Amino acid sequence: MAAEQKFTPQTWPESPEQATLEGKNKFLGFWFFLGGETVLFASLFATYLALKDSVPSDTHAKAADLFELPLVFLMTMLLLTSSLTSVFAMYHMKNYSFKKMQQWLFITVVLGLGFLACEIYEFYHYYHAFEHKFTSSAFGSAFYTLVGFHGGHVVFGLSWIIALMIRNAKRGLNLYNAPKFYLASLYWHFIDVVWVFIFTVVYLMGMVG
Amino acid sequence: MKKKLANWRLFTFMGLMALLLSGCGEPFLSTLTPAGEAGQTAYDLMMLSTWIMVGVVIVVSILFAVAVLKFRRKKGDTTIPKQVEGSHVLEIVWTIIPIILLIILAIPTVLATFDLADTKAMDKKNEDGTTDAMVVNVRANLYWWEFEYPNQKIITSQDLVVPTDQKVYFNVKASDVKHSFWIPAAGGKIDTNVENVNQIWLEFDNEKAAEADNLFYGKCAELCGPSHALMDFKVHALPKSEFDQWVTAMQAIDAKAAEAAPEDPAAAEGQEIFNQKCLSCHAVTTADARPEAARTAPNLAGFADRERIAGVLEHNEEELKNWLADPGQYKPGNKMTGTYGELSDQELDQLAAYLMSLKVE
Amino acid sequence: MSTIAHAQKRGFTGTIWEYLTTVDHKKIAILYLLAGGFFFIVGGIEAMMIRIQLAVPNNDFVSAGLFNEIITMHGTTMIFLAAMPLLFAFMNAVMPLQIGARDVAFPFVNALGFWLFFFGGVFLNLSWFLGGAPDAGWTSYASLSLASEGHGIDFYALGLQISGFGTLMGGINFLVTIINMRAPGMTYMRMPLFTWTTFVASALILFAFPPLTVGLFMLIFDRMFGSGFFDVAMGGNTIIWEHFFWIFGHPEVYILVLPAFGIFSEIFPTFARKRLFGYSSMVFATVLIGFLGFMVWAHHMFTTGLGPVANAIFAVATMAIAVPTGIKIFNWILTIWGGSIKFTVPMLYAVAFIPSFVMGGVTGVMQAAAPADYQFHDSYFIVAHFHYVIVGGIVLGLLGGAHFYWPLMFGTMLSEKLGKITFVLFLVGFHLTFFIQHFLGLMGMPRRVWTFLEGQGLATGNLISSIGAAFMALGIIVLLVNIVITQKKNIQVGRDPWEDGRTLEWAIPSPVPFYNFKQLPLVRGLDPFWIEKMEGKTDMTPAEPVGDIHMPNNSFVPFVISLGLFVAAFGAMYHADEGKDWAIPVLIIGMLITFGAMLYRSVKDDHGYHIHKEDLLDEAEGGTR
């Protein structure tokens, strides 16, 4: 079974990401990887909750002083929407319509970049308006580490999707790269789910006090 | 094979014999000679668990030895043994019996855990902030111990003095890195953390204390740096009346008493040197009013009556001079080295004379 | 050119290059064995220095600071760089063959896992030559590890981080391999116990290593990038490290000991000629131990001051683990009961393991009683306990496994005579060293002490302990001699050299072809090879006709990805030092190498190659075996 065999929408299998043994292995392995990532983020959340508002003196900003709903809400919307657009992309991947998949992935990337821009602005704002730094307090360290790890995942996810789009722009879909697209999208959903928790635990709970 | 098995059994046996020769360790140090209630509670649990476990080991060993000896393959034997799948009855038996044994162990464990953590008496404050309970605040430092008696308003170091036949409550914490406060003969240890105060109680029976010459050894049980092994302290467990005498005598070492020049001229010279070079860190009065952070070295009031120099050296002028000349040689990584410049031989003599004059009258 | 001949016959540099780029699980197993064996010897030398220093009171064989470096490196090396990779060696060598797979699920990731571990280990050990090793104990508790001067702790945090990534990947690879790559008929409840324990240990790795990763990141950030997770002055809290370390650290014990249990579960039935007693309850116990392993971490922190409620809960939870462990012990005994026991070297290790490990197990239950543990904790009793578990369980398993699987990995048989000498020396030395340490602890000797004073009743016990250590060292030296002699003679022993092999790995020709199975075997029950043998057959029934076999290409990329992190770690470590402006560029270059190599891997298509059916048939006719 040649990996670069050409398909038509009719011959394209039902679950292209799992049509080959390699694909099946990747699919399962990636789920395990996400399981490990879940524990990683759980540890970071635990750290954040333990060190929340733990600052050396009262002059340092606390969670209730920092967070503002509008910006965070915008970020949440951007990321949630991008998750939806990546679902559309995978829908088209399964229908063997490569162009539409690329288009939806492009929208996903744009939304992701928008999220990233907001996050960079957010950090910049905390840093300059509140002197809330990575090195100023345990709270700062825990906040930037948790949210920053998520941001790092966003950067990695975007780079991954972009690399796949460019790499396969001219070759179209086959059973070798279909699992790759699928996993990148799975990763993107994971990032989105983590953000929902960050939004709740860090921002909403932070604003309540 | 039999011979080899016998071989290692023999070595284990020899090891056991060696142990018997050395007994249960020294009464001032060993957990096997508990000095009071806290130590006894731990010891009882240790013994209960040990006997249960010895029982388990014996049962397993017998089954195992029989199996190994009985079912050896004879030379040239090619028979295939019956392939047994398993036995539900046996599986249930060796699941249920351990569970029962563990329940027998778990119940006293839980009770003792709560009993040893009961420090409510410390929280009952009188109007003036003192407590009826005997309380000592322990502060662990690289590599020395400070003992503060908040009710008696005494600060001392290295040698802990406690009354016998009553519960002594401890607030413990560390001022630099994590240490652990352990008086093996008196009971279990508790970590001295850097971020919070831990509480524990211990008790010293009068009779047991007498068996150990009223002196127990204390140890740091958490790796804290190069001289972790040398971070010893001593515990004088005295009958209540003697303890009260000691408190009165210590309280008498106030500023006035400390400033008075010693009669011995060498010691008086030594006091001058001490005041110039040492006093900024080491206090010589028991009522040191400085905040904790400023108390960066052991309090030396009553130094002459202590058991060991720096916790580990013989308590005499010769060792004291050696220590003062180069503390780093005896306690690597200590914070005293290099803080007071070189001392001449004469200065060492004078300082030693002064320090050895710091008595609890 | 024949695709089979292509994969054989090369010169010395060719062999080196082959191993640098290999993705074959059998060769990766040999790499793990070599690297793990090397670090085992390094850790052993450190152990000997510890025992020499403690042989007599007030000794000054090594200085206090150096002693702390030695104990830290001894523990860290033995756990992360010796025991784990040696177990990974056997997992790689044996597990795919046991389940009838041609390879692991991710050959590339398998190689990457090895090289990450290797570079992490090398980085950690370079600390000896670059200003001093870590000195805060293998647990590296935060207040001390932040206070520690020099770069020792940085080497620890960065080195473990790199090798930890490798371990995590190895774990995922094994999980997927076992789920997806089993031969026809190899159901879960027909998998050999070693495969089962590999499976559970891999699952533990997956969930236990991320907390360590987070803890190490925080340590790295605190020490090198100015954060305040553990800095109390900045509002930090050092207890967080203790929790993360032990949430990882306790499952780690099971990650190590379960595969060792697995090895013994293979050795017992083989040399007793009797199937494993209570197979299904053994599987159940393995899974239960793995599960409970995550519920008990705080029993390492009974004296931290978590309060009586937490202490009581964790005490009872810890005791519960004794039940499944007991099930295993009794099942092993019942396996040999009624069997026909042949005392080969592997069997000797297995037989010696039972009483040794039971000793370690029961002291573990004793420590579960929290108030008693207030006395045991951080004393030599603990040192004795965990060495009984690790040496009495894991190291005996590794030594037994090495003798048992040597023919499978190298096609030769280690000398039984020398093997027995090693066994006696090592076992006698082991009990002599560690049994007495229980009593030293009870007599009031704290652990990790550089020296002890006279007049405390501790001298005799320590001397006995040091003598025992010398016996163990002698045993290992004999083993090394044995290995050299065996490989020098290089007498190939052929298939099923123990004659009583029961599982699939013994059904394969020796040396194992690089594609493992020409035809995937049909598995008809537990101990599939034994079933065929009992029916008078000499080979497995094939489950498929001879066909093309798909093989992955070798790749140098795993080496490069790992090298990049190795380089970056130096940058991260030195950037805070004054006058080292080169550090940040080095950090960036290292990361670029790593991510560049990952991108290269992602972008370049690599479909592997096929061994053609005709070549396989030709080879069979050639009768090379």
Coordinates of all heavy atoms in Angstrom, one line a residue, chain C residues 282-350:
Chain C
M282 N -2.6 -12.1 38.8 CA -1.3 -11.4 38.7 C -1.5 -10.2 37.8 O -1.0 -9.1 38.2 CB -0.3 -12.3 38.0 CG 0.3 -13.4 38.8 SD 1.2 -12.8 40.2 CE 2.9 -13.1 39.7
V283 N -2.3 -10.3 36.7 CA -2.5 -9.1 35.9 C -3.3 -8.1 36.7 O -3.0 -6.9 36.8 CB -3.3 -9.5 34.7 CG1 -3.8 -8.3 33.9 CG2 -2.5 -10.4 33.8
F284 N -4.3 -8.6 37.4 CA -5.1 -7.7 38.3 C -4.3 -7.0 39.3 O -4.4 -5.8 39.5 CB -6.2 -8.5 38.9 CG -7.0 -7.8 40.0 CD1 -7.9 -6.8 39.7 CD2 -6.7 -8.1 41.3 CE1 -8.6 -6.1 40.7 CE2 -7.4 -7.4 42.4 CZ -8.3 -6.4 42.0
A285 N -3.4 -7.7 40.0 CA -2.6 -7.1 41.0 C -1.6 -6.1 40.4 O -1.4 -5.0 41.0 CB -1.7 -8.2 41.7
T286 N -1.1 -6.3 39.2 CA -0.2 -5.4 38.5 C -0.9 -4.1 38.3 O -0.4 -3.0 38.6 CB 0.3 -6.0 37.2 OG1 0.9 -7.2 37.4 CG2 1.3 -5.0 36.5
V287 N -2.1 -4.2 37.7 CA -2.9 -3.0 37.4 C -3.3 -2.2 38.7 O -3.1 -1.0 38.8 CB -4.2 -3.3 36.6 CG1 -5.0 -2.1 36.4 CG2 -3.8 -3.9 35.3
L288 N -3.6 -3.0 39.7 CA -4.0 -2.4 41.0 C -2.8 -1.7 41.7 O -3.0 -0.5 42.2 CB -4.6 -3.4 42.0 CG -5.3 -2.9 43.2 CD1 -6.5 -2.1 42.8 CD2 -5.7 -4.0 44.1
I289 N -1.7 -2.3 41.6 CA -0.5 -1.6 42.2 C -0.2 -0.3 41.5 O 0.1 0.7 42.1 CB 0.7 -2.6 42.1 CG1 0.6 -3.7 43.0 CG2 2.0 -1.8 42.4 CD1 1.7 -4.8 42.9
G290 N -0.3 -0.4 40.1 CA -0.1 0.8 39.3 C -1.1 1.9 39.7 O -0.7 3.1 39.9
F291 N -2.3 1.6 39.9 CA -3.4 2.5 40.3 C -3.1 3.1 41.7 O -3.1 4.3 41.9 CB -4.7 1.9 40.2 CG -5.9 2.8 40.5 CD1 -6.3 3.7 39.6 CD2 -6.5 2.7 41.7 CE1 -7.3 4.5 39.9 CE2 -7.6 3.5 42.0 CZ -8.0 4.5 41.1
L292 N -2.9 2.2 42.6 CA -2.7 2.7 44.0 C -1.4 3.5 44.1 O -1.3 4.4 45.0 CB -2.7 1.5 45.0 CG -4.0 0.8 45.2 CD1 -3.8 -0.4 46.1 CD2 -5.0 1.8 45.9
G293 N -0.5 3.2 43.2 CA 0.8 3.9 43.3 C 0.7 5.4 43.2 O 1.5 6.2 43.7
F294 N -0.4 5.9 42.7 CA -0.7 7.4 42.6 C -1.4 7.9 43.8 O -1.5 9.1 43.9 CB -1.5 7.7 41.3 CG -0.7 7.7 40.1 CD1 -0.7 6.7 39.2 CD2 0.1 8.8 39.8 CE1 0.1 6.7 38.1 CE2 0.8 8.9 38.7 CZ 0.9 7.8 37.8
M295 N -1.8 7.1 44.7 CA -2.6 7.6 45.8 C -1.8 7.8 47.1 O -2.4 8.0 48.1 CB -3.7 6.5 46.1 CG -4.5 6.1 44.9 SD -5.6 7.4 44.4 CE -5.9 6.9 42.7
V296 N -0.6 7.5 47.1 CA 0.2 7.4 48.3 C 1.4 8.3 48.5 O 2.2 8.1 49.4 CB 0.6 5.9 48.5 CG1 -0.6 5.0 48.5 CG2 1.5 5.5 47.4
W297 N 1.5 9.2 47.6 CA 2.8 9.9 47.5 C 3.2 10.6 48.9 O 4.3 10.7 49.2 CB 2.9 10.9 46.4 CG 2.1 12.2 46.7 CD1 2.6 13.3 47.3 CD2 0.8 12.5 46.4 NE1 1.7 14.3 47.4 CE2 0.5 13.8 46.8 CE3 -0.3 11.8 45.8 CZ2 -0.7 14.4 46.7 CZ3 -1.5 12.4 45.7 CH2 -1.7 13.7 46.1
A298 N 2.1 11.1 49.6 CA 2.4 11.9 50.8 C 3.0 11.1 51.9 O 3.4 11.6 52.9 CB 1.2 12.6 51.2
H299 N 3.1 9.7 51.8 CA 3.7 9.0 52.9 C 5.2 9.2 52.9 O 5.9 8.9 53.8 CB 3.4 7.5 52.8 CG 4.0 6.7 51.6 ND1 3.3 5.7 51.0 CD2 5.2 6.9 51.0 CE1 4.1 5.3 50.0 NE2 5.2 5.9 50.0
H300 N 5.7 9.9 51.8 CA 7.1 10.4 51.9 C 7.2 11.7 52.7 O 8.3 12.2 52.9 CB 7.7 10.6 50.5 CG 7.7 9.3 49.7 ND1 8.8 8.5 49.7 CD2 6.8 8.7 48.9 CE1 8.6 7.5 48.9 NE2 7.4 7.6 48.4
M301 N 6.1 12.2 53.1 CA 6.1 13.6 53.7 C 5.4 13.6 55.0 O 4.8 14.6 55.4 CB 5.4 14.5 52.7 CG 6.0 14.6 51.4 SD 5.0 15.4 50.1 CE 4.8 17.0 50.8
F302 N 5.4 12.4 55.7 CA 4.7 12.3 57.0 C 5.2 13.3 58.0 O 4.5 13.8 58.9 CB 4.8 10.9 57.6 CG 3.8 9.9 57.0 CD1 4.2 8.6 57.0 CD2 2.6 10.3 56.6 CE1 3.3 7.6 56.5 CE2 1.7 9.4 56.1 CZ 2.0 8.0 56.0
T303 N 6.5 13.6 57.9 CA 7.1 14.6 58.9 C 7.1 16.0 58.4 O 7.6 16.9 59.0 CB 8.5 14.2 59.3 OG1 9.3 14.4 58.1 CG2 8.6 12.7 59.7
T304 N 6.5 16.3 57.2 CA 6.5 17.6 56.7 C 5.5 18.5 57.4 O 5.7 19.8 57.4 CB 6.1 17.6 55.2 OG1 7.1 16.8 54.5 CG2 6.1 19.0 54.6
G305 N 4.6 17.9 58.1 CA 3.6 18.7 58.9 C 2.3 19.0 58.1 O 1.8 20.1 58.1
L306 N 1.9 17.9 57.4 CA 0.6 18.0 56.6 C -0.6 17.9 57.5 O -1.7 18.1 57.1 CB 0.6 17.0 55.5 CG 1.7 17.0 54.5 CD1 1.6 15.8 53.6 CD2 1.7 18.3 53.8
G307 N -0.4 17.5 58.8 CA -1.5 17.4 59.7 C -2.0 16.0 59.8 O -1.7 15.1 58.9
P308 N -2.7 15.7 60.9 CA -3.0 14.3 61.2 C -4.0 13.7 60.2 O -4.0 12.5 59.9 CB -3.7 14.3 62.6 CG -4.1 15.7 62.8 CD -3.1 16.6 62.0
V309 N -4.9 14.5 59.6 CA -5.9 13.9 58.7 C -5.2 13.4 57.4 O -5.4 12.2 57.1 CB -7.0 15.0 58.3 CG1 -8.0 14.4 57.3 CG2 -7.7 15.5 59.6
A310 N -4.4 14.2 56.8 CA -3.7 13.8 55.6 C -2.8 12.6 56.0 O -2.8 11.6 55.2 CB -2.8 14.9 55.1
N311 N -2.1 12.7 57.1 CA -1.2 11.6 57.4 C -2.0 10.3 57.6 O -1.5 9.2 57.1 CB -0.4 11.9 58.7 CG 0.7 12.9 58.4 OD1 1.0 13.3 57.3 ND2 1.5 13.2 59.5
A312 N -3.1 10.3 58.3 CA -3.9 9.1 58.5 C -4.4 8.5 57.2 O -4.3 7.3 57.0 CB -5.0 9.4 59.4
I313 N -4.9 9.4 56.3 CA -5.4 8.9 55.0 C -4.3 8.2 54.2 O -4.5 7.1 53.7 CB -6.0 10.1 54.2 CG1 -7.3 10.6 54.9 CG2 -6.3 9.6 52.8 CD1 -7.9 11.8 54.3
F314 N -3.2 8.9 54.1 CA -2.1 8.4 53.3 C -1.5 7.1 54.0 O -1.0 6.2 53.3 CB -1.1 9.4 53.0 CG -1.4 10.3 51.9 CD1 -2.0 11.6 52.1 CD2 -1.3 9.9 50.6 CE1 -2.4 12.4 51.1 CE2 -1.7 10.7 49.5 CZ -2.2 12.0 49.8
A315 N -1.6 7.0 55.3 CA -1.1 5.8 56.0 C -1.9 4.6 55.6 O -1.4 3.6 55.1 CB -1.1 6.0 57.5
V316 N -3.2 4.8 55.6 CA -4.1 3.6 55.3 C -4.0 3.3 53.8 O -3.9 2.1 53.5 CB -5.5 4.0 55.8 CG1 -6.4 2.8 55.3 CG2 -5.6 4.2 57.3
A317 N -4.0 4.3 53.0 CA -3.9 4.0 51.5 C -2.6 3.3 51.2 O -2.6 2.3 50.4 CB -3.9 5.4 50.8
T318 N -1.5 3.6 51.9 CA -0.2 3.0 51.7 C -0.3 1.5 52.1 O 0.2 0.6 51.4 CB 0.9 3.7 52.4 OG1 0.9 5.1 52.1 CG2 2.2 3.1 52.1
M319 N -0.9 1.3 53.2 CA -1.0 -0.1 53.6 C -1.7 -1.0 52.6 O -1.4 -2.2 52.4 CB -1.7 -0.2 55.0 CG -0.9 0.4 56.1 SD -1.9 0.3 57.6 CE -0.8 1.3 58.7
A320 N -2.7 -0.4 51.9 CA -3.5 -1.1 51.0 C -2.6 -1.7 49.9 O -3.0 -2.8 49.3 CB -4.6 -0.2 50.4
I321 N -1.5 -1.1 49.5 CA -0.7 -1.6 48.4 C -0.1 -3.0 48.8 O 0.2 -3.8 47.9 CB 0.4 -0.6 48.1 CG1 -0.2 0.6 47.5 CG2 1.4 -1.2 47.1 CD1 0.8 1.6 46.8
A322 N 0.0 -3.2 50.1 CA 0.6 -4.5 50.5 C -0.2 -5.7 50.0 O 0.3 -6.8 49.7 CB 0.7 -4.6 52.0
V323 N -1.5 -5.5 49.8 CA -2.4 -6.6 49.4 C -2.1 -7.1 48.0 O -1.8 -8.3 47.9 CB -3.9 -6.2 49.6 CG1 -4.8 -7.3 49.1 CG2 -4.2 -5.8 51.0
P324 N -2.1 -6.3 47.0 CA -1.8 -6.8 45.7 C -0.4 -7.3 45.6 O -0.1 -8.3 44.9 CB -2.0 -5.6 44.7 CG -2.1 -4.4 45.6 CD -2.6 -4.9 46.9
T325 N 0.6 -6.7 46.3 CA 1.9 -7.2 46.3 C 2.0 -8.5 46.9 O 2.7 -9.4 46.4 CB 2.9 -6.2 47.1 OG1 2.5 -4.9 46.7 CG2 4.3 -6.4 46.8
G326 N 1.3 -8.7 48.0 CA 1.2 -10.1 48.6 C 0.7 -11.1 47.7 O 1.2 -12.2 47.6
I327 N -0.4 -10.7 46.9 CA -1.0 -11.7 46.0 C 0.1 -12.2 45.0 O 0.2 -13.3 44.7 CB -2.1 -11.0 45.2 CG1 -3.3 -10.7 46.1 CG2 -2.5 -11.8 44.0 CD1 -4.4 -9.9 45.4
K328 N 1.0 -11.2 44.6 CA 2.0 -11.6 43.6 C 3.0 -12.6 44.2 O 3.3 -13.6 43.6 CB 2.8 -10.3 43.2 CG 2.0 -9.6 42.1 CD 2.8 -8.4 41.6 CE 2.3 -7.9 40.3 NZ 2.8 -8.7 39.2
I329 N 3.4 -12.3 45.4 CA 4.4 -13.1 46.1 C 3.9 -14.6 46.2 O 4.6 -15.5 45.8 CB 4.8 -12.6 47.5 CG1 5.4 -11.2 47.4 CG2 5.7 -13.6 48.2 CD1 6.8 -11.2 47.0
F330 N 2.6 -14.7 46.7 CA 2.1 -16.0 46.9 C 1.9 -16.7 45.5 O 2.1 -17.9 45.4 CB 0.8 -16.0 47.7 CG 1.0 -15.6 49.1 CD1 0.5 -14.5 49.6 CD2 1.6 -16.5 49.9 CE1 0.8 -14.2 51.0 CE2 1.9 -16.2 51.3 CZ 1.4 -15.1 51.8
N331 N 1.5 -16.0 44.5 CA 1.4 -16.6 43.2 C 2.7 -17.2 42.7 O 2.7 -18.2 42.0 CB 0.7 -15.7 42.2 CG -0.8 -15.7 42.3 OD1 -1.4 -16.7 42.3 ND2 -1.4 -14.5 42.4
W332 N 3.8 -16.4 42.9 CA 5.1 -16.9 42.5 C 5.5 -18.2 43.2 O 5.9 -19.1 42.6 CB 6.2 -15.9 42.7 CG 6.2 -14.7 41.7 CD1 6.0 -14.9 40.4 CD2 6.3 -13.4 42.0 NE1 6.0 -13.6 39.8 CE2 6.3 -12.7 40.7 CE3 6.6 -12.6 43.1 CZ2 6.4 -11.3 40.6 CZ3 6.7 -11.2 43.0 CH2 6.6 -10.6 41.8
I333 N 5.2 -18.2 44.5 CA 5.6 -19.4 45.3 C 4.7 -20.6 44.8 O 5.3 -21.7 44.6 CB 5.3 -19.2 46.8 CG1 6.3 -18.1 47.3 CG2 5.5 -20.5 47.5 CD1 6.1 -17.8 48.7
L334 N 3.5 -20.3 44.5 CA 2.6 -21.4 44.0 C 3.0 -21.8 42.6 O 2.7 -22.9 42.1 CB 1.1 -21.0 44.1 CG 0.4 -21.5 45.4 CD1 0.0 -23.0 45.3 CD2 1.2 -21.2 46.6
T335 N 3.6 -20.9 41.9 CA 4.1 -21.3 40.5 C 5.2 -22.4 40.6 O 5.2 -23.4 39.9 CB 4.6 -20.1 39.8 OG1 3.6 -19.1 39.7 CG2 5.1 -20.4 38.4
I336 N 6.1 -22.2 41.5 CA 7.2 -23.2 41.6 C 6.7 -24.4 42.4 O 7.3 -25.5 42.2 CB 8.5 -22.6 42.2 CG1 8.2 -22.0 43.5 CG2 9.1 -21.7 41.3 CD1 9.5 -21.5 44.2
W337 N 5.7 -24.3 43.2 CA 5.1 -25.4 43.9 C 4.6 -26.4 43.0 O 3.7 -26.1 42.2 CB 4.0 -24.9 44.8 CG 3.6 -25.9 45.9 CD1 2.8 -27.0 45.7 CD2 4.0 -25.9 47.2 NE1 2.6 -27.6 46.8 CE2 3.4 -27.0 47.8 CE3 4.8 -25.1 48.0 CZ2 3.6 -27.4 49.2 CZ3 5.0 -25.5 49.4 CH2 4.4 -26.6 49.9
G338 N 5.1 -27.6 43.1 CA 4.6 -28.7 42.1 C 5.3 -28.6 40.8 O 5.0 -29.4 39.9
G339 N 6.3 -27.7 40.6 CA 7.0 -27.6 39.4 C 8.2 -28.5 39.4 O 8.4 -29.4 40.2
S340 N 9.0 -28.3 38.4 CA 10.3 -29.1 38.2 C 11.4 -28.1 38.1 O 11.7 -27.6 37.0 CB 10.2 -30.0 37.0 OG 11.4 -30.6 36.7
I341 N 12.0 -27.7 39.2 CA 12.8 -26.5 39.2 C 14.2 -26.8 38.8 O 14.9 -27.7 39.3 CB 12.9 -25.9 40.6 CG1 11.5 -25.6 41.2 CG2 13.7 -24.6 40.6 CD1 11.4 -25.2 42.6
K342 N 14.7 -26.0 37.8 CA 16.1 -26.2 37.4 C 16.8 -24.9 37.8 O 16.4 -23.8 37.4 CB 16.1 -26.3 35.8 CG 17.5 -26.5 35.3 CD 17.5 -26.7 33.8 CE 18.9 -26.9 33.2 NZ 18.9 -26.8 31.8
F343 N 17.9 -25.0 38.6 CA 18.5 -23.8 39.1 C 19.6 -23.3 38.2 O 20.8 -23.4 38.4 CB 19.1 -24.1 40.5 CG 18.0 -24.3 41.5 CD1 17.6 -25.6 42.0 CD2 17.4 -23.2 42.0 CE1 16.6 -25.7 42.9 CE2 16.4 -23.3 43.0 CZ 16.0 -24.6 43.4
T344 N 19.1 -22.6 37.1 CA 20.0 -21.8 36.3 C 20.3 -20.5 37.0 O 19.6 -20.2 38.0 CB 19.4 -21.6 35.0 OG1 18.2 -20.9 35.2 CG2 19.1 -22.8 34.2
V345 N 21.2 -19.7 36.5 CA 21.5 -18.4 37.1 C 20.3 -17.5 37.2 O 20.0 -17.0 38.2 CB 22.7 -17.7 36.4 CG1 22.9 -16.3 36.9 CG2 24.0 -18.6 36.6
P346 N 19.5 -17.4 36.1 CA 18.3 -16.5 36.2 C 17.4 -17.0 37.3 O 16.8 -16.2 38.0 CB 17.7 -16.6 34.8 CG 18.7 -17.1 33.9 CD 19.7 -17.9 34.7
M347 N 17.2 -18.3 37.4 CA 16.3 -18.9 38.4 C 16.9 -18.6 39.8 O 16.1 -18.4 40.7 CB 16.1 -20.4 38.2 CG 15.0 -21.0 39.0 SD 13.4 -20.2 38.6 CE 12.3 -21.3 39.6
L348 N 18.2 -18.7 40.0 CA 18.7 -18.4 41.3 C 18.4 -16.9 41.7 O 18.0 -16.7 42.8 CB 20.3 -18.5 41.2 CG 20.8 -19.9 41.2 CD1 22.3 -19.9 41.1 CD2 20.3 -20.7 42.4
Y349 N 18.5 -16.0 40.7 CA 18.1 -14.6 41.1 C 16.7 -14.5 41.4 O 16.3 -13.8 42.4 CB 18.4 -13.7 39.9 CG 19.9 -13.3 39.8 CD1 20.7 -13.8 38.8 CD2 20.5 -12.5 40.8 CE1 22.1 -13.5 38.8 CE2 21.8 -12.1 40.7 CZ 22.6 -12.6 39.7 OH 23.9 -12.3 39.7
A350 N 15.8 -15.3 40.7 CA 14.4 -15.2 40.9 C 14.1 -15.8 42.3 O 13.3 -15.2 43.1 CB 13.6 -16.0 39.8

